[in-house]
Amino acid sequence: MLRNTICRANITQLSARRFASIQAISKASITDLENRWEHMPTNEQESLVAKLTQRQTLPWKDLTDAEKQAAWYISYGSWGPRRPVLAKGEASYILQGVLLGLAISIGAFAWIRQYGGEDVKSMNKEWQLKSDEYLKSKNANPWGGYSQVQSK
């Protein structure tokens, strides 16, 4: 019993010393991190991540707001692989290209229909009527009633 109490007191003292040795990160090094992060040297980024990792072992209420924001940005911010694919203004450029392609394809379709020559011979009215007569003679259309057996 006494041994457990002493061990707990030692652990509390050790963790208090460890937490006391972790100093707050200077506000200047984490201010405006969103704009500076990708231009910072790799070793500076790694040291900042290490300091933030140490600070995050503290109770969350002991971290400053700037440290919380910096930790969030490093973990979930839009840098590296999470950078947006399209920059500002590129979406409208892509939309213009899609609309131009659509207009060209519609124009080509209309031009081919207008000046493409004769219609296919199976598209005229006589062909369609002869097809209907042939289907009636063979009872080949189950949806229209040609092949239905009429019971008496």
Side-chain angles (χ1 to χ4, degrees), residues 64-80:
T64 65
D65 287 337
E67 289 172 340
K68 291 176 188 176
Q69 288 173 353
W72 184 90
Y73 179 76
I74 290 170
S75 298
Y76 304 110
S78 59
W79 62 274

Side-chain angles (χ1 to χ4, degrees), residues 7-8 14-15 23 39 54 56 60 73 87-88 107 132:
C7 287
R8 284 186 193 152
L14 288 174
S15 61
Q23 297 177 358
H39 305 294
Q54 285 179 346
Q56 289 179 32
W60 193 248
Y73 179 76
K88 290 183 179 179
D132 286 343

Side-chain angles (χ1 to χ4, degrees), residues 69-116:
Q69 288 173 353
W72 184 90
Y73 179 76
I74 290 170
S75 298
Y76 304 110
S78 59
W79 62 274
R82 284 183 240 90
R83 182 182 310 121
V85 175
L86 301 176
K88 290 183 179 179
E90 285 186 9
S92 64
Y93 179 73
I94 291 171
L95 179 65
Q96 289 173 356
V98 168
L99 292 177
L100 178 67
L102 187 62
I104 289 171
S105 63
I106 289 172
F109 175 76
W111 184 78
I112 289 170
R113 291 290 289 172
Q114 182 69 27
Y115 303 109

Side-chain angles (χ1 to χ4, degrees), residues 7-145:
C7 287
R8 284 186 193 152
N10 285 339
I11 291 172
T12 306
Q13 288 175 354
L14 288 174
S15 61
R17 276 190 228 141
R18 188 182 82 195
F19 289 154
S21 68
I22 301 173
Q23 297 177 358
I25 300 172
S26 69
K27 194 169 185 177
S29 65
I30 55 178
T31 302
D32 195 33
L33 195 62
E34 294 85 14
N35 296 328
R36 296 183 306 122
W37 181 257
E38 292 194 44
H39 305 294
M40 290 173 66
T42 307
N43 59 355
E44 230 179 286
Q45 288 178 350
E46 290 171 359
S47 68
L48 186 59
V49 168
K51 289 177 187 176
L52 278 171
T53 303
Q54 285 179 346
R55 288 287 293 166
Q56 289 179 32
T57 59
L58 295 172
W60 193 248
K61 64 181 179 181
D62 292 345
L63 270 69
T64 65
D65 287 337
E67 289 172 340
K68 291 176 188 176
Q69 288 173 353
W72 184 90
Y73 179 76
I74 290 170
S75 298
Y76 304 110
S78 59
W79 62 274
R82 284 183 240 90
R83 182 182 310 121
V85 175
L86 301 176
K88 290 183 179 179
E90 285 186 9
S92 64
Y93 179 73
I94 291 171
L95 179 65
Q96 289 173 356
V98 168
L99 292 177
L100 178 67
L102 187 62
I104 289 171
S105 63
I106 289 172
F109 175 76
W111 184 78
I112 289 170
R113 291 290 289 172
Q114 182 69 27
Y115 303 109
E118 296 179 14
D119 285 341
V120 180
K121 70 178 183 177
S122 64
M123 293 298 289
N124 60 25
K125 192 168 187 171
E126 294 84 25
W127 183 279
Q128 294 296 326
L129 290 173
K130 286 182 182 178
S131 294
D132 286 343
E133 289 175 18
Y134 178 75
L135 289 173
K136 283 181 188 177
S137 70
K138 298 294 183 180
N139 292 330
N141 189 353
W143 295 284

